[in-house]
Amino acid sequence: DVQLQASGGGLVQAGGSLTLSCAATGFTFDEYVIGWFRQAPGKEREGVSAIDSSDGRTYYADSVKGRFTTSRDNAKNTVYLQMDRLKPEDTAVYYCAASYGSGSVFYLNRDFYTDWGQGTQVTVSS
């Protein structure tokens, strides 16, 4: 079974940093696109970033571009989301997700992903 475990969330002041991890088991990790999503109370789940399976190319939502960096370590079956210069509007539950599909135009679309982790809370205080 595909399992994704997101961790690393917490409370941080505005301007601070956090690194989230997504540990994966149960599938051939390096063949899957991994995405990060977030959902704030009362809002839709939105795509934050994604990292391709084949070439490690990364994709970001405009709202986080230049502040967030995603990377993957295929030897450890883990994807990371380094979040810098955090803002209160980054407060949300963050999820990682996996997809065997292709087509980078879809990578920040939640419907592209078939498997999801349980989420980790990130709270940014002003």
Side-chain angles (χ1 to χ4, degrees):
D1 289 347
V2 173
Q3 292 193 2
L4 299 164
Q5 179 82 29
S7 62
L11 173 64
V12 63
Q13 287 189 330
S17 298
L18 277 176
T19 300
L20 305 184
S21 299
C22 175
T25 59
F27 61 102
T28 308
F29 182 74
D30 60 4
E31 294 181 355
Y32 280 68
V33 177
I34 304 297
W36 284 100
F37 289 75
R38 66 187 181 187
Q39 188 165 17
K43 294 190 175 182
E44 296 278 322
R45 189 171 298 189
E46 62 173 354
V48 173
S49 72
I51 186 163
D52 210 335
S53 55
S54 56
D55 56 12
R57 189 171 295 185
T58 54
Y59 304 83
Y60 299 96
D62 288 344
S63 58
V64 306
K65 204 170 290 183
R67 299 188 298 121
F68 290 12
T69 304
T70 191
S71 59
R72 66 191 298 158
D73 185 339
N74 288 337
K76 294 182 178 180
N77 283 11
T78 302
V79 169
Y80 304 97
L81 182 66
Q82 172 70 37
M83 305 184 294
D84 298 317
R85 304 200 308 276
L86 282 160
K87 304 175 181 180
E89 50 263 45
D90 295 318
T91 296
V93 178
Y94 282 71
Y95 300 87
C96 57
S99 174
Y100 190 68
S102 61
S104 60
V105 66
F106 304 115
Y107 285 2
L108 295 183
N109 185 327
R110 64 184 182 182
D111 293 333
F112 176 76
Y113 295 87
T114 53
D115 298 279
W116 294 80
Q118 86 292 355
T120 184
Q121 176 71 47
V122 172
T123 303
V124 184
S125 63
S126 57

